[in-house]
Amino acid sequence: MKYDFDEPVIRRGTDCYKWDIDSPSDDIIPLWVADMDFRVAPKITSALQARVAHGVFGYTKVPQSFYDAITNWYSRRYGCEVQSGSILYTSGVVPAVSAIIKALAGEDGCGVLMQTPAYNCFFSSIKNNKCHVVENKLVKNGDSYDIDFDDFEAKASLPETKIFLLCSPHNPVGRIWTRDELRRMADICRRNGVTVVADEIHSGIIMPGHEFFPFAGIGDEYQDACVITSSCSKSFNLAGLQISYIIARNSKLRRTVDRAINVNEVCDVNPFGVIALQVAFNECEDWLEEMCAYVKANHDYLSAFLSANMPGVSTSRLEATYLAWLDCRRLGLSSERLGELLMREARVRVSSGDIYGAPEGFIRLNLACPRAQLAEGLKRIAECLKKVK
């Protein structure tokens, strides 16, 4: 490999949310929140250092090259044409989702269809905009998850349902929705007057042998009633630089969303984020491919470790993201209780499945870390769970 993902990077003591939420004396291994313990691609670091050397950090103008980096990324990586005029910039995907819901739901709110288990911030984005969740539960099928389309159509046809909040690829279950699945969901939404809001923030983190299908590329007929939001932040470990983008081909819809972004005051972006996105998308695809291969090897390690040491725990097949979804139901513990036990006894912080609207007995693990760190965390978890009766 050209890049060393085994290199330990000391993040504790740097005001890092992932590591410094716990006291250094606690010796906690954090396998929870979705950021990586890998150094970013060297070309990104070099570009940011050059910008720092300039020494002035005022308000930034987003240049045409920013939009070109996004359109070229979609064309080169996905074979999908996106026009720069359909792109809006904003500070993050969660603020974007909240602004879009505000724009589409209006003052009185509405029902927002989503597939659970789902990224936990979806729930707060919906609630904070006076809306309510309309739940379409994903169906566990062996080591993967499927869509209950009968239920999806029934929920989409409810008069209250105005928005479908799609997570693609899906966090936390790690699924890539096929082109046919996306088109089927889009057809149902179109028949029922439901606007699709697609969160594609994990779209760069695709495991070897799999292919991601962006909503912008599934057919022109679906683009008038959809808004897509994404970022370089998950794929290239740049979340702290506060940069994301929105794609809306329909000009009226785009103006409505743009107005909500300004009303929500998330229309200003970080100059370092603007630079980092361009370098990431234009020059760092090789780093991304190696990182994905490393995460896939970490997941393989996890699967083998579970089989050998934790027969009561299994992991879903990982097609995308760097997040492992573990089924621990045979242990007979609630998700919250399991998370508390691992924190206290194993000194490993995980994400409890209950925050994603999952059934009891699930946890999420972050695999974007050096293998030695993952191995030590899993060893601690196994030793802890041996004591569970």
Side-chain angles (χ1 to χ4, degrees):
M1 275 191 169
K2 179 179 177 182
Y3 304 101
D4 183 7
F5 297 102
D6 285 320
E7 176 193 9
V9 180
I10 304 303
R11 301 185 67 192
R12 184 168 278 138
T14 63
D15 293 326
C16 163
Y17 185 70
K18 182 178 182 180
W19 285 82
D20 288 331
I21 196 171
D22 300 309
S23 168
S25 62
D26 288 338
D27 187 29
I28 302 296
I29 295 178
L31 298 178
W32 64 301
V33 69
D35 77 5
M36 305 183 199
D37 289 322
F38 305 138
R39 294 190 190 279
V40 302
K43 289 181 179 179
I44 296 174
T45 302
S46 296
L48 294 178
Q49 288 172 334
R51 181 65 180 86
V52 168
H54 180 259
V56 180
F57 312 113
Y59 299 119
T60 193
K61 173 183 176 293
V62 177
Q64 181 59 41
S65 55
F66 172 88
Y67 302 97
D68 293 343
I70 296 169
T71 60
N72 291 337
W73 178 259
Y74 276 79
S75 177
R76 183 177 70 253
R77 193 164 178 86
Y78 309 122
C80 172
E81 297 305 315
V82 172
Q83 302 301 315
S84 62
S86 67
I87 300 171
L88 303 170
Y89 60 81
T90 186
S91 59
V93 165
V94 172
V97 167
S98 290
I100 293 165
I101 291 174
K102 179 188 288 292
L104 300 179
E107 290 299 320
D108 296 330
C110 68
V112 179
L113 179 61
M114 57 183 279
Q115 295 164 317
T116 57
Y119 175 48
N120 54 299
C121 285
F122 280 5
F123 295 94
S124 56
S125 291
I126 292 168
K127 181 180 179 180
N128 290 343
N129 285 289
K130 300 179 182 178
C131 296
H132 62 275
V133 172
V134 179
E135 186 178 21
N136 172 230
K137 295 181 180 180
L138 296 174
V139 179
K140 195 171 190 307
N141 183 8
D143 66 350
S144 189
Y145 282 79
D146 295 326
I147 299 166
D148 182 342
F149 276 103
D150 290 337
D151 181 71
F152 184 91
E153 181 144 26
K155 300 295 177 56
S157 66
L158 294 172
E160 70 209 60
T161 305
K162 301 300 181 186
I163 300 167
F164 168 42
L165 184 48
L166 169 68
C167 193
S168 178
H170 194 279
N171 169 21
V173 306
R175 266 295 313 271
I176 296 175
W177 306 122
T178 67
R179 184 180 281 112
D180 287 344
E181 286 171 325
L182 291 169
R183 285 174 173 166
R184 189 171 176 186
M185 289 187 284
D187 279 329
I188 292 170
C189 288
R190 188 167 56 156
R191 286 199 305 271
N192 289 282
V194 174
T195 302
V196 178
V197 178
D199 171 3
E200 296 183 347
I201 195 170
H202 291 277
S203 59
I205 311 168
I206 307 303
M207 296 301 98
H210 293 278
E211 181 181 2
F212 172 73
F213 305 98
F215 202 90
I218 64 169
D220 290 343
E221 64 270 32
Y222 304 116
Q223 304 309 312
D224 267 352
C226 93
V227 183
I228 299 157
T229 182
S230 192
S231 175
C232 58
S233 61
K234 293 299 181 202
S235 299
F236 293 95
N237 203 24
L238 300 168
L241 297 187
Q242 300 291 294
I243 190 71
S244 71
Y245 56 88
I246 294 167
I247 301 171
R249 183 182 296 186
N250 183 304
S251 59
K252 181 179 179 181
L253 186 55
R254 187 169 61 253
R255 287 193 298 271
T256 301
V257 170
D258 192 23
R259 174 62 181 159
I261 290 170
N262 282 271
V263 168
N264 280 22
E265 305 290 1
V266 289
C267 49
D268 290 325
V269 291
N270 186 322
F272 297 102
V274 173
I275 291 168
L277 180 143
Q278 295 176 71
V279 177
F281 282 176
N282 291 336
E283 303 179 42
C284 299
E285 198 166 0
D286 62 336
W287 182 95
L288 179 62
E289 293 301 329
E290 286 197 12
M291 185 277 292
C292 290
Y294 190 90
V295 168
K296 173 60 166 60
N298 270 357
H299 192 263
D300 290 344
Y301 179 91
L302 167 68
S303 299
F305 187 94
L306 293 179
S307 295
N309 300 281
M310 289 186 271
V313 180
S314 61
T315 180
S316 292
R317 181 169 71 244
L318 189 67
E319 299 175 353
T321 82
Y322 49 70
L323 305 165
W325 186 237
L326 271 58
D327 184 346
C328 310
R329 287 177 292 180
R330 282 195 275 176
L331 299 177
L333 297 173
S334 70
S335 300
E336 183 177 11
R337 168 75 176 128
L338 181 56
E340 291 172 350
L341 177 70
L342 295 180
M343 180 69 175
R344 185 180 65 253
E345 302 295 335
R347 305 184 317 286
V348 178
R349 184 182 283 276
V350 301
S351 296
S352 174
D354 59 300
I355 67 172
Y356 308 105
E360 295 291 2
F362 285 84
I363 60 173
R364 194 189 76 171
L365 294 185
N366 185 339
L367 300 172
C369 62
R371 192 153 308 131
Q373 179 177 313
L374 176 64
E376 175 61 23
L378 292 177
K379 177 184 174 183
R380 293 185 186 186
I381 291 172
E383 290 172 350
C384 173
L385 294 184
K386 285 177 183 176
K387 305 172 186 176
V388 176
K389 301 298 182 183

